[in-house]
Amino acid sequence: MASADSAFVAYLRQHREEIDKCVGARVPAIASRDAQADDLDRYLYGPAARFVMAGGKRTRPALCLLGAHAVGAPEERAHSVAAAVELFQACALIHDDIADKSELRRGQPCLHIAEGTGIAINVGDGILVSVVSAILADDSLDQTTRLRLLDEIVVMENRTLEGQALDLGWARDERWDISDKDYLAMATRKTAYYSAAIPLAMGAICGGGTEEQIEGLRSFGMSCGLAFQLQDDLLNLVGDASAQGKDYRSDITEGKRTLVMVWALRHLDDAGRQELLGILASKTSDDAALARAVELAESCGALAHAQAYAQELVGTAKSNLNSLPIDADARKVLISMADFFVERAS
């Protein structure tokens, strides 16, 4: 079981200050102090810096460092890509909150609530530009490596946007003709690439890893990243309500297409299916209705199915990692990471 003392949690704690420094050094900043400097700080650079540095677990940049460590390189070799992936995360969160009409982020008003939608969109776009500039400005990497890393960034961004397009489009068109395979393809695009697979691969590329190491870590990250999303889906339904606050069971209110709900709609009897569809379509936030949706999903084994599939993904990933020639200490942390992804409580 994952615990506060797990190797991966310890790794996150150990490198948190280092990550914050390397991210902070690459947050968008004004190039020169001219007559518009104060206004640019107010409307662009200040909100960007506050949002990026406000918190988060920094899991993705830690995986970049871990990818370099795994191939025997110093972790600082991956500082630029660690910053880049965290900056992309910040941009994605700002834009996601607008698309989802969210109100709170990390216990504070979302950026579009605090600053207005137009400014929030622009701040997100500004942060996205810095994703590329973080890598272009890294003189410790040769031009060929930087070009390869930019290609990885483009793939990561494209896949994430594809996943978001499916997620938003299915919701807009009230589509529930979604199969398990459809959901898993969406979640792989939206989460697995940028949450684990590409951060690990980019870290290994920065560290001069072999193609076997790079692709082995990428494959490991794809499986673990998808398991991470499945655990997120489960926690939204049956996690700690007090810790999640207004977000608890918000996936039901928002009619999110998750493996749990897709599975439930395929395995409930007609009456149960119609009842669940009615709750999902109602956009309700009533506690009793939300609890009933979870009860219906549990009654047909949907929660157990999603949990079992996440565990299967992680089990396969760990098994494959055992034969990959990487640093022994890094392997231990990666195994711990896989367990953390499916056993975390938040």
Side-chain angles (χ1 to χ4, degrees):
M1 294 290 290
S3 71
D5 297 318
S6 75
F8 183 64
V9 171
Y11 189 89
L12 290 174
R13 189 185 306 116
Q14 177 186 352
H15 292 280
R16 179 58 188 257
E17 184 177 354
E18 175 186 357
I19 290 169
D20 282 346
K21 285 182 178 178
C22 79
V23 172
R26 293 165 176 85
V27 170
I30 194 164
S32 61
R33 303 300 302 184
D34 56 19
Q36 290 77 43
D38 288 346
D39 282 347
L40 286 172
D41 280 337
R42 180 181 178 186
Y43 300 130
L44 177 61
Y45 298 113
R50 287 192 296 274
F51 188 87
V52 172
M53 303 310 295
K57 296 182 178 69
R58 306 295 197 223
T59 301
R60 294 164 184 83
L63 293 187
C64 294
L65 305 189
L66 189 53
H69 182 189
V71 300
E75 280 133 339
E76 56 264 29
R77 290 281 293 170
H79 275 183
S80 60
V81 293
V85 75
E86 186 68 5
L87 290 165
F88 177 73
Q89 160 79 345
C91 169
L93 291 178
I94 291 169
H95 289 168
D96 280 0
D97 285 343
I98 295 168
D100 294 339
K101 300 179 181 178
S102 300
E103 296 182 0
L104 294 176
R105 169 66 61 184
R106 298 166 183 157
Q108 299 296 321
C110 292
L111 192 65
H112 67 277
I113 299 293
E115 301 288 347
T117 300
I119 285 179
I121 291 172
N122 200 55
V123 169
D125 291 345
I127 294 172
L128 187 59
V129 171
S130 68
V131 173
V132 174
S133 63
I135 294 171
L136 288 176
D138 189 350
D139 293 333
S140 71
L141 301 171
D142 61 64
Q143 289 188 1
T144 300
T145 301
R146 275 181 277 175
L147 184 61
R148 181 171 182 181
L149 292 169
L150 290 175
D151 185 61
E152 294 282 348
I153 289 288
V154 168
V155 170
M156 178 184 76
E157 292 178 348
N158 279 339
R159 294 298 173 266
T160 305
L161 291 171
E162 288 173 353
Q164 181 75 333
L166 293 172
D167 197 22
L168 293 173
W170 291 339
R172 186 199 69 182
D173 293 346
E174 299 180 354
R175 294 270 307 277
W176 285 107
D177 59 333
I178 308 301
S179 69
D180 296 4
K181 186 176 180 180
D182 291 329
Y183 168 79
L184 293 170
M186 181 276 290
T188 296
R189 284 178 167 91
K190 184 173 178 177
T191 303
Y193 278 90
Y194 96 97
S195 288
I198 287 184
L200 282 170
M202 288 198 300
I205 291 168
C206 288
T210 66
E211 289 305 309
E212 180 186 9
Q213 291 173 320
I214 293 167
E215 296 311 313
L217 289 168
R218 187 195 309 278
S219 177
F220 175 82
M222 288 292 285
S223 294
C224 291
L226 181 53
F228 181 93
Q229 181 60 58
L230 294 177
Q231 180 69 1
D232 250 12
D233 295 345
L234 288 166
L235 289 173
N236 188 267
L237 300 178
V238 295
D240 186 339
S242 60
Q244 293 190 51
K246 288 182 66 176
D247 287 335
Y248 186 57
R249 294 181 172 170
S250 60
D251 285 356
I252 302 172
T253 303
E254 295 170 14
K256 290 278 189 180
R257 277 67 178 161
T258 65
L259 183 60
V260 171
M261 293 305 162
V262 169
W263 173 271
L265 290 171
R266 288 182 58 235
H267 289 82
L268 286 166
D269 60 23
D270 287 343
R273 183 175 189 276
Q274 290 305 314
E275 184 181 1
L276 181 56
L277 277 173
I279 296 171
L280 292 168
S282 72
K283 309 297 183 185
T284 182
S285 57
D286 176 72
D287 289 342
L290 299 179
R292 177 57 179 162
V294 174
E295 182 183 356
L296 286 166
E298 189 170 20
S299 71
C300 65
L303 294 171
H305 171 71
Q307 187 174 45
Y309 191 75
Q311 292 285 355
E312 179 184 343
L313 285 167
V314 162
T316 301
K318 291 193 296 185
S319 178
N320 292 339
L321 192 71
N322 286 331
S323 60
L324 192 67
I326 56 174
D327 178 89
D329 288 338
R331 190 194 316 278
K332 177 182 176 183
V333 177
L334 286 165
I335 294 293
S336 173
M337 179 205 87
D339 291 332
F340 173 82
F341 275 11
V342 292
E343 294 171 0
R344 63 198 169 88
S346 65

